[in-house]
Amino acid sequence: MVKLVRSISPAVSVIIPMHNAERHIQDTLRSLASQSLLDFEVIVVDDGSTDGSAAIVDAVVRSDRRFRRVAGPAVGSAGAARNVGLGVARGEYLGFLDADDLYAPSMLEKLYAKAKADRADVVLSGFSTLDDVTGARNSQPWALRVDTMPAHTPFSPEDVADHLFYFTNPANWNKLFRRAFVEDAAISFQPLRRANDAYFTYVSLARAQRISYVAEELVEYRVSNTTSLQGSVHETPLEFVEAITGIYDSLQAAGIYERHERAFMNLVASMSVGALSRARTAEAFATTYEALRNDVFPRNGLTEAPSRVFLSSHLRQRVAEVIAKPVSAFLFDRADAPGGPPLSAAKESPALPVDVSGEADPEDRRPAIDSEAPDVSVIVPVYNAAAWLHECLLSVLGQTGVSVEVICVNDGSTDDSARILHEYATSDPRIVIIDRPNGGLSAARNSGLEVARGRYVCMLDSDDYWRTDDLSGLVEIADRDALDLLLFDAEAFFEPGVSEATHSAYATYYTRKRAYSSVVTGPQLMAELNGESEYRPSACLYLVRTGLLREAGLSFIPGIMHEDNPFTFALFLHAVRAAHIDNPIYARRMRPGSIMTGGAAERSMRGYFAAYLDMKRRLAHHPVDPELAAPIGDVIHRMFAATRRLFLEVPEDVGVRIQEVDPSPEAYSLYMMMRHERNQALKIQRLTKAA
């Protein structure tokens, strides 16, 4: 038993609402018991559990006097349960944790020390997500947007101005609140089933005098937990409206609404768009849509709001779409479409994952926004990927603040992949499935490109996934800067059995050392990247304007390896506006036997040869400025150098088959040149042995 001398007022009271949480409550309590800060109390509010949760908590209570269990109101509201905890909490600061989430070991110590040092009313941290299905832990950099916060701490609400309700998420479990401040301001939770923490968090931030933060991810928030309250959010789709109303009334009562009006209007837009995307049934979607159009937007001034009110073009576009079109017309237009209303995965993303940075619209090239098209078509070629499909698809379906269609091309899989895909498609209309005989990665991607409806296209391999909820940010940047091409980075991770050589080669290969954020032409960006040895031709590491692909007639060369090289090269040549952000959004799986780490030398040789010929011909029809000739020529030469190296390594009877790749005189001339070099090398070897 842990025996501690407990002060009359512990440093922190942690309040946990609990209802039938036996799967996770043990791990949650362990994360608290292992805190480096010792002076705290944990109040578990048992809100009518009928499983074994109470027994698990009681066992911990018997061994650690800092823990106790109290009865909740049993009305199915985490907010009402938290209010019970507020009524008995004795800590100087208040912390909150859901019964399935985890604190990092230093969470309480770091936030409490920062709160004391700054005499803060509220102190915040970042968080990561923990996938309940796959076990994947993913960073969430948008959860604490340090770039919109003052560098100094503490700061006041006025210091962040219109970004007051944007720089952090509405959840309360990555924050500490000074109890005396909460009590003096009479702030409590709304007795709602789901949206109760938005009111508590945002009213606290607006009423606080001193706000501080620790720029670390100190909480693991569990997602894809279908037993949580968020897993049934469609049952009460309009609770967010009560949260919005409560926040408005509180700001008015405190006499501070006018100074935060723009921040509040953007909060209404963000919460509304988020609620619409989380409506998982047609009925819930229609109910939410009509409420926004006929009540929420008019009542909060969004229907007539000028464009300058919105901090984000994304929000402005979504609000304008709802205002312009009744739900019947919206749903009718989508009835026969492969996509549909943006419906999302089980547990709600607890935030405003929308980039509301200021806009700089280059009107001369900004593409028209087609309200009928999804923002992004995500093309996922699938071949025997059952082991990784859940992680891959959930990383896409969990993207918030953006509309997507997910085009899954089943390339003749013989494992369980087809069944998994069709199960997902049954429950989520955003998924489009193309079943085709096995034809290889290029053919599968081309099948997806043929039906893509999105304004932009992204590629995602079926054994990889997106690390962060940042797709909306990519779209925001591409729209703002009228980009044809936006590059981002990746982090490689390695499965057992990957060779040391592969590990060494790819450990940091996909993470560029800096951002190339200026908007330039595609050839200029290619030359700059290649000059820094950071040109990466992976088709999975950029967002591309669909119109550019169609205008340039771009597709992948079927039946070859290294197909990304000619496709990406052609894309750069045609891009008029291109940029890069140094955000490792993508997780690249390195595994034994994958296309990345396996493959016969002959297939690799033939792929490089086809890529070299295609790239050379494209450049001949798309000349570049003289100062770019050398670095772009170097990109092409590396394809030839790789072809030559492999040609000299494979047996002569294998090398001769390279002629099958291309029947042109140009290709034959290159073959003869390499064959001559091989013969010369063999002659030197014979002479050396004879000597």
Side-chain angles (χ1 to χ4, degrees), residues 185-516:
I187 303 171
S188 61
F189 290 87
Q190 292 178 304
L192 307 177
R193 287 175 59 82
R194 294 167 185 85
N196 59 84
D197 47 0
Y199 171 87
F200 186 93
T201 295
Y202 289 131
V203 171
S204 294
L205 289 174
R207 298 288 300 275
Q209 297 298 311
R210 303 170 70 88
I211 303 170
S212 190
Y213 63 92
V214 174
E216 297 181 42
E217 295 180 344
L218 297 176
V219 180
E220 287 188 353
Y221 171 72
R222 195 179 301 272
V223 297
S224 303
N225 178 11
T226 56
T227 63
S228 72
L229 281 173
Q230 297 299 348
S232 55
V233 68
H234 58 278
E235 296 174 2
T236 52
L238 297 184
E239 282 198 334
F240 78 98
V241 179
E242 295 184 54
I244 288 172
T245 302
I247 295 168
Y248 173 84
D249 290 344
S250 181
L251 296 180
Q252 286 284 11
I256 57 176
Y257 174 78
E258 285 72 19
R259 75 179 73 160
H260 300 309
E261 182 176 22
R262 190 183 183 200
F264 177 76
M265 292 177 73
N266 279 271
L267 175 63
V268 173
S270 297
M271 291 182 69
S272 299
V273 169
L276 198 61
S277 71
R278 288 188 293 271
R280 302 193 66 201
T281 67
E283 181 181 1
F285 182 87
T287 299
T288 305
Y289 192 102
E290 291 286 20
L292 297 182
R293 190 169 188 267
N294 299 321
D295 175 37
V296 178
F297 288 171
R299 180 154 48 92
N300 291 283
L302 295 181
T303 302
E304 304 297 331
S307 296
R308 66 178 180 274
V309 165
F310 296 94
L311 297 170
S312 161
S313 62
H314 172 84
L315 285 181
R316 184 183 67 228
Q317 292 156 12
R318 292 296 172 271
V319 170
E321 180 181 27
V322 173
I323 292 170
K325 186 177 296 186
V327 69
S328 57
F330 184 96
L331 294 175
F332 178 80
D333 290 344
R334 285 159 172 73
D336 297 320
L343 310 179
S344 70
K347 187 171 179 180
E348 176 183 353
S349 293
L352 304 174
V354 179
D355 184 358
V356 294
S357 56
E359 297 184 50
D361 295 349
E363 297 291 349
D364 56 330
R365 282 194 49 81
R366 180 172 302 282
I369 301 299
D370 179 2
S371 62
E372 301 300 311
D375 291 322
V376 184
S377 293
V378 183
I379 298 175
V380 184
V382 179
Y383 178 71
N384 289 353
W388 310 286
L389 263 181
H390 291 291
E391 186 172 30
C392 174
L393 294 178
L394 288 172
S395 76
V396 179
L397 299 175
Q399 296 292 314
T400 54
V402 63
S403 60
V404 299
E405 66 170 357
V406 188
I407 305 172
C408 299
V409 185
N410 177 31
D411 192 37
S413 296
T414 57
D415 67 351
D416 213 22
S417 296
R419 182 190 61 79
I420 294 171
L421 290 176
H422 284 277
E423 282 186 358
Y424 273 89
T426 299
S427 62
D428 198 318
R430 293 175 296 174
I431 293 180
V432 180
I433 298 177
I434 299 174
D435 287 305
R436 50 164 294 136
N438 181 253
L441 184 57
S442 290
R445 284 175 171 169
N446 288 340
S447 295
L449 287 173
E450 289 173 3
V451 302
R453 298 169 46 248
R455 298 190 294 116
Y456 298 97
V457 166
C458 259
M459 303 284 174
L460 176 61
D461 287 349
S462 55
D463 57 348
D464 299 333
Y465 63 91
W466 283 334
R467 299 175 57 252
T468 60
D469 181 10
D470 278 334
L471 185 60
S472 63
L474 298 181
V475 172
E476 178 75 20
I477 294 170
D479 281 349
R480 182 192 68 201
D481 294 336
L483 297 178
D484 295 318
L485 180 65
L486 177 59
L487 277 64
F488 49 88
D489 293 345
E491 286 188 359
F493 65 105
F494 301 85
E495 291 196 343
V498 172
S499 69
E500 285 298 321
T502 298
H503 193 286
S504 177
Y506 289 101
T508 59
Y509 178 76
Y510 295 107
T511 305
R512 298 176 177 92
K513 298 181 180 65
R514 66 177 180 87
Y516 301 79

Side-chain angles (χ1 to χ4, degrees), residues 50-167:
T50 57
D51 63 355
S53 301
I56 295 171
V57 175
D58 289 345
V60 175
V61 171
R62 287 192 294 270
S63 63
D64 191 331
R65 296 177 59 195
R66 296 173 297 179
F67 292 75
R68 57 175 162 155
R69 179 171 67 90
V70 300
V75 294
S77 164
R82 288 179 177 129
N83 286 337
V84 171
L86 287 177
V88 298
R90 300 174 297 109
E92 183 181 2
Y93 279 84
L94 301 167
F96 302 91
L97 190 61
D98 287 352
D100 58 347
D101 297 337
L102 307 170
Y103 275 166
S106 60
M107 162 70 178
L108 293 181
E109 180 181 13
K110 288 181 175 178
L111 261 64
Y112 180 70
K114 186 65 174 174
K116 291 292 288 182
D118 287 349
R119 294 182 290 116
D121 296 321
V122 184
V123 60
L124 315 91
S125 77
F127 68 86
S128 59
T129 55
L130 172 61
D131 194 292
D132 198 41
V133 175
T134 66
R137 289 172 169 80
N138 294 315
S139 175
Q140 302 297 333
W142 54 267
L144 190 67
R145 298 184 186 269
V146 178
D147 59 327
T148 64
M149 302 161 70
H152 65 85
T153 60
F155 58 87
S156 70
E158 287 69 30
D159 291 331
V160 287
D162 296 331
H163 289 82
L164 175 62
F165 302 136
Y166 165 70
F167 67 79

Side-chain angles (χ1 to χ4, degrees), residues 606-669:
R606 293 165 69 101
Y608 280 129
F609 193 44
Y612 167 74
L613 292 168
D614 186 84
M615 292 160 67
K616 189 169 182 292
R617 289 163 182 162
R618 284 189 182 274
L619 186 61
H621 290 88
H622 203 295
V624 297
D625 294 337
E627 65 269 18
L628 305 179
I632 291 178
D634 181 62
V635 173
I636 300 175
H637 173 73
R638 277 189 273 117
M639 294 297 98
F640 174 72
T643 305
R644 172 185 169 277
R645 173 180 56 80
L646 289 167
F647 180 85
L648 297 177
E649 289 177 0
V650 300
E652 186 173 0
D653 62 330
V654 174
V656 73
R657 294 199 291 265
I658 199 173
Q659 298 176 83
E660 301 168 2
V661 173
D662 192 303
S664 69
E666 177 188 22
Y668 182 75
S669 174

